[in-house]
Amino acid sequence: MKFPSDESASELRDLFFESAGEILQGMNEAGLALEERPGDPERLRHVRRAVHTLKGDSAACGFRELSELAHELEDVLTPELAQENAELIPEVVLAAADTFHEMLAAYRNHLQPPAGGALRDHIQGLLHRPAARPQHPTVLAKFTWSEYERLRIAEAFRHGETVYHIALYLDPDTTLPAAALELARKAFGEAGRILALRPEAETPAEQLALIEAALASAKPVDWIRSRCHIPAVVEKISVEIAPAPQATTRDVLEVLLESEAASSIGAKPGQPDFAVAHEEEVPEPGAAAGLAHAAAENTLRVDAGRIDIVMNLVGELIIGKSMLQRAIGELERRYAKDPLCGKFSDVLAFQARILGELQKSVMKVRMVPVEQLFRRFPRVVRDVAKLRHKEIGLEVTGQNTDLDKGILDALAEPLAHLVRNAADHGIEPAAERQSAGKPARGTIRLRARHEGDQVVIEVSDDGRGLDRKKIVRRAIERGILKEEDSPRLSESEALQLIFAPGLSTADEVTPISGRGVGLDVVHSALEILKGSIELESEPGKGTTFRILLPLTLASIQALLFHAHGRLYALPLASVVEITRIGEEEIHHVDGREVFQLRQQVLTLFRLDRLGAQKTHARAKRIFVIVIGASGRRFGLAVDSLMGEEELVIKALEDQLVTSPLVSGASILGDGTVVLILNVVAVVTHLSRTPALEAIA
């Protein structure tokens, strides 16, 4: 026997952790669905398959504790036990998903996994639960007939006969179990013509609990029910008209079977055939394996690090293209009449087109739908609602919106904070909502969409909204805001205080929130992602958090400009417009420079205030870049503009630049290094001193 190498074993475990995460997400979704529809057979089958797969995969990777616990869980997921305990199974499934998640986290970090005591208690409670006699039989009729029996039923329909599906549930205390099948057959024969009958005659009497039949009869339902009632044998009778079969294409075997079925009831073959719909279609193992194999051949799992390497190489090619453009531009200026210049330009245009397509292709590989992130939140909302005794629904739209995987992964925790806060603080208890004229069930909405080269994600609720006075009061209590500055705050500025570190409007600290760290974490995470967040709230109506993110962190369209002897770049998505004003148009309000742009008064910022830069003589007329950040507009004074260019973002090491005001750097075609400003961080920094900006 050959054992896999350490490298192969490591790859196997990485693949296991990835697939196990998908399995647990599926278990969470199935558990939530079972809470709404207890006993749903399709969801139960999904859970059983998931647990069985997890058991086998974990055993193959040597995770014995997880494999054994999954094996124990399988014992309570049998169809009979699951149907008997339909109301309890969802809690077991969700508890299993949580326990397995904790065990996987321990395995990842090479730690001893938890014992899963709570899940084992659930399992033992179900396995040893006292069996109360059900008021009605737990075995359900399926009316799953063989091909030959379905053809006989189709022939009866073709001749205009009424076909009934009849189920006889036997009394478990009957004194005539051995004679039950024969008595039922005789009763069916008196009521009509038997087209199909289950079970077979050789079935042991002790296993006989249900008799199913397909009967062609001209009698009414009540007459058939009374005729099939057998005292001391049958406990319950179900009689329903069989659904009409649908037409389907026949093969040679079906034609032969049809002929035999027709001859058995005296009908003529060759007429249009029908097929009865099944409750459950079970594909043959060989066919299922073939489909799985074909799907596997069309899917390639690639480590994200390898894609990052390719993306970095594409970035280097873009820098090379910029260098070549500058060189060809210089060549055209020196030798304008040389025919080679035109050829060089054509080759460069061709290369730029191919490079653009290559960049788009690599970007698409990195893009994943936000559905992968949104799928986590139904469970989050359910847990908060159950803990806080609330009724909350979650509505999701825009799941197919694509976003860079790196951004998506980093966004998981901030978005979870917003959803938890909406469920815990935003949505009111049912009694409070009804007294305010609202439906008892609150609603949280998750939306995603593209806007230009940005992705917008909204988290909104129809709850109580934010209390401006309460936010300002808490900010003053914690020293975040001076009391004398509070009257000058606009509505938007007051609400933005909720993102300050340590500020919380919760009256009590719960296991979910209330410590004043959640929204600060959200704001900090979005700054790292070069994104921003906008906030809208209406008391009594609800709150909306709007997150704006770049499609990718690999490259951006940027505006280049000079300010105070340095070259900077701004993401073009943040630029609203560019204007030019004179020094006489600049005024001072509350220690801030402001200027008027049409009917709006904007705060003006100068980059020489970022650090100990030497102040240069100011020109009589200056360029002003109007930028939008956090739902507000500001003006940024610059000396000159260089134009628009696509920049490949290079991360800066901490030793080189420690300031959060710079989000990265890029290299131009002539080798010049340009710093890319973090717009939100710059505006926030310049707004703090000497006072909050006067006008938004």
Side-chain angles (χ1 to χ4, degrees):
M1 178 181 293
K2 293 183 179 180
F3 293 94
S5 63
D6 291 341
E7 183 178 355
S8 299
S10 177
E11 291 181 359
L12 178 63
R13 292 192 175 197
D14 290 341
L15 182 61
F16 165 72
F17 285 128
E18 183 177 352
S19 62
E22 296 174 0
I23 289 173
L24 295 188
Q25 180 59 45
M27 289 181 63
N28 274 315
E29 293 171 356
L32 295 175
L34 285 170
E35 280 193 331
E36 297 181 2
R37 300 184 300 278
D40 184 343
E42 181 58 36
R43 292 293 180 177
L44 287 171
R45 281 194 295 270
H46 175 81
V47 173
R48 286 196 295 270
R49 288 194 299 268
V51 174
H52 186 76
T53 301
L54 193 62
K55 179 185 73 171
D57 290 352
S58 57
C61 291
F63 300 140
R64 179 180 54 81
E65 298 89 349
L66 177 56
S67 179
E68 291 177 353
L69 187 55
H71 180 70
E72 293 179 27
L73 180 60
E74 280 187 308
D75 293 339
V76 300
L77 294 177
T78 58
E80 297 79 11
L81 205 57
Q83 289 293 342
E84 290 176 8
N85 303 278
E87 299 293 336
L88 302 176
I89 289 296
E91 191 66 39
V92 176
V93 173
L94 295 175
D98 291 341
T99 303
F100 291 156
H101 179 77
E102 294 173 0
M103 297 179 80
L104 289 173
Y107 287 131
R108 278 183 183 274
N109 297 314
H110 306 286
L111 301 174
Q112 181 64 28
L119 177 58
R120 283 195 162 92
D121 290 343
H122 278 302
I123 294 172
Q124 293 302 317
L126 290 178
L127 289 176
H128 300 95
R129 191 181 182 195
R133 180 181 173 182
Q135 295 180 353
H136 57 82
T138 57
V139 181
L140 299 178
K142 295 184 177 181
F143 305 114
T144 304
W145 311 120
S146 68
E147 187 71 21
Y148 176 71
E149 290 166 334
R150 293 202 304 273
L151 287 170
R152 294 193 66 188
I153 294 171
E155 283 293 328
F157 269 102
R158 191 176 300 117
H159 288 83
E161 297 181 90
T162 304
V163 179
Y164 295 95
H165 280 163
I166 304 174
L168 303 184
Y169 297 93
L170 304 187
D171 189 341
D173 298 327
T174 180
T175 57
L176 302 169
L181 186 57
E182 191 58 36
L183 291 172
R185 186 189 298 274
K186 182 179 179 181
F188 291 148
E190 294 175 353
R193 189 176 71 258
I194 301 174
L195 303 177
L197 183 65
R198 291 284 187 280
E200 304 297 338
E202 58 271 11
T203 303
E206 61 272 10
Q207 297 180 13
L208 195 62
L210 170 67
I211 299 174
E212 301 172 84
L215 199 68
S217 177
K219 301 295 184 180
V221 172
D222 292 339
W223 189 91
I224 295 175
R225 182 179 287 109
S226 63
R227 176 62 64 181
C228 294
H229 178 65
I230 307 172
V233 174
V234 175
E235 182 181 50
K236 178 185 175 184
I237 301 175
S238 171
V239 181
E240 58 186 34
I241 298 177
Q246 298 177 351
T248 184
T249 304
R250 300 175 297 164
D251 56 21
V252 176
L253 178 59
E254 288 176 332
V255 173
L256 294 175
L257 288 172
E258 176 198 324
S259 300
E260 185 178 347
S263 63
S264 70
I265 62 174
K268 295 181 180 180
Q271 299 179 15
D273 193 16
F274 297 89
V276 178
H278 298 273
E279 178 184 351
E280 177 184 357
E281 291 289 344
V282 182
E284 294 186 7
L291 291 173
H293 181 66
E297 287 183 343
N298 292 325
T299 304
L300 181 65
R301 293 182 182 269
V302 180
D303 184 78
R306 297 184 180 181
I307 300 177
D308 290 339
I309 292 174
V310 176
M311 194 68 209
N312 187 58
L313 293 175
V314 171
E316 297 296 330
L317 287 175
I318 293 174
I319 294 173
K321 180 190 74 172
S322 180
M323 296 171 65
L324 191 57
Q325 281 178 328
R326 290 177 179 267
I328 291 177
E330 182 67 24
L331 184 65
E332 289 177 341
R333 284 192 294 271
R334 292 189 182 185
Y335 308 100
K337 297 181 180 181
D338 195 320
L340 281 176
C341 293
K343 293 183 179 180
F344 277 132
S345 297
D346 292 342
V347 172
L348 179 61
F350 174 76
Q351 184 231 28
R353 180 171 62 83
I354 299 300
L355 183 56
E357 293 297 325
L358 176 61
Q359 184 185 17
K360 289 179 182 178
S361 298
V362 178
M363 286 296 303
K364 287 180 180 178
V365 174
R366 285 187 57 90
M367 294 292 181
V368 293
V370 295
E371 179 187 15
Q372 295 188 13
L373 181 58
F374 284 1
R375 288 175 62 190
R376 309 178 187 183
F377 298 124
R379 175 70 192 278
V380 173
V381 172
R382 176 260 183 196
D383 288 348
V384 175
K386 190 171 183 179
L387 182 64
R388 302 290 286 168
H389 308 291
K390 297 179 179 179
E391 298 179 30
I392 307 176
L394 178 66
E395 296 180 1
V396 179
T397 56
Q399 303 97 311
N400 295 325
T401 304
D402 289 336
L403 187 60
D404 187 285
K405 188 178 187 306
I407 298 179
L408 194 73
D409 292 341
L411 190 63
E413 191 60 29
L415 207 56
H417 276 298
L418 293 179
V419 172
R420 278 196 296 265
N421 274 356
D424 191 23
H425 297 317
I427 301 296
E428 316 95 322
E432 183 179 337
R433 290 180 62 85
Q434 289 177 325
S435 64
K438 295 182 180 181
R441 182 182 176 88
T443 302
I444 297 175
R445 294 178 177 86
L446 269 175
R447 303 186 186 94
R449 65 181 184 274
H450 284 123
E451 283 188 3
D453 58 352
Q454 286 187 313
V455 172
V456 179
I457 298 177
E458 292 183 354
V459 181
S460 61
D461 64 72
D462 62 350
R464 58 171 62 96
L466 295 176
D467 187 339
R468 180 190 189 278
K469 295 181 180 179
K470 193 173 187 179
I471 293 173
V472 172
R473 185 174 68 251
R474 291 290 174 86
I476 295 173
E477 291 173 358
R478 285 162 174 73
I480 299 170
L481 177 70
K482 295 181 180 179
E483 189 168 0
E484 57 270 21
D485 293 332
S486 60
R488 294 197 297 267
L489 293 178
S490 67
E491 186 72 19
S492 174
E493 293 164 348
L495 294 180
Q496 288 288 328
L497 289 171
I498 201 168
F499 295 108
L503 190 141
S504 175
T505 59
D507 295 322
E508 59 176 330
V509 176
T510 70
I512 305 164
S513 55
R515 295 173 176 82
V517 296
L519 293 180
D520 175 36
V521 169
V522 173
H523 199 264
S524 301
L526 291 177
E527 285 188 357
I528 296 174
L529 294 174
K530 306 175 185 65
S532 59
I533 186 168
E534 300 174 359
L535 174 58
E536 297 176 2
S537 184
E538 186 176 352
K541 297 294 183 63
T543 303
T544 297
F545 290 91
R546 187 175 297 106
I547 297 173
L548 294 89
L549 294 161
L551 280 175
T552 177
L553 299 180
S555 63
I556 60 169
Q557 290 294 120
L559 177 66
L560 303 180
F561 62 90
H562 284 97
H564 308 289
R566 291 186 179 178
L567 180 62
Y568 296 100
L570 276 175
L572 200 61
S574 301
V575 178
V576 178
E577 62 178 293
I578 300 173
T579 186
R580 201 170 185 185
I581 62 174
E583 286 288 343
E584 69 278 2
E585 299 178 56
I586 302 174
H587 306 279
H588 289 79
V589 177
D590 289 335
R592 288 288 179 195
E593 289 185 325
V594 299
F595 69 100
Q596 184 171 348
L597 181 64
R598 293 183 288 277
Q599 302 302 316
Q600 191 174 15
V601 178
L602 305 177
T603 304
L604 181 69
F605 292 125
R606 300 181 188 267
L607 291 179
D608 57 353
R609 296 181 181 174
L610 288 179
Q613 297 180 346
K614 183 180 179 180
T615 303
H616 295 260
R618 294 180 178 176
K620 292 184 178 180
R621 292 189 65 80
I622 60 174
F623 287 102
V624 175
I625 303 174
V626 180
I627 57 178
S630 301
R632 295 169 291 174
R633 291 186 177 186
F634 306 87
L636 189 64
V638 303
D639 297 335
S640 61
L641 301 171
M642 279 191 62
E644 176 188 342
E645 190 163 337
E646 182 180 15
L647 299 181
V648 178
I649 300 176
K650 301 290 185 181
L652 298 176
E653 299 294 336
D654 290 341
Q655 305 92 291
L656 299 176
V657 177
T658 57
S659 173
L661 307 180
V662 177
S663 60
S666 186
I667 303 173
L668 302 182
D670 60 358
T672 304
V673 175
V674 56
L675 297 179
I676 303 171
L677 296 180
N678 185 339
V679 176
V680 177
V682 168
V683 170
T684 302
H685 177 80
L686 293 174
S687 299
R688 287 174 181 168
T689 56
L692 289 168
E693 65 270 20
I695 299 173

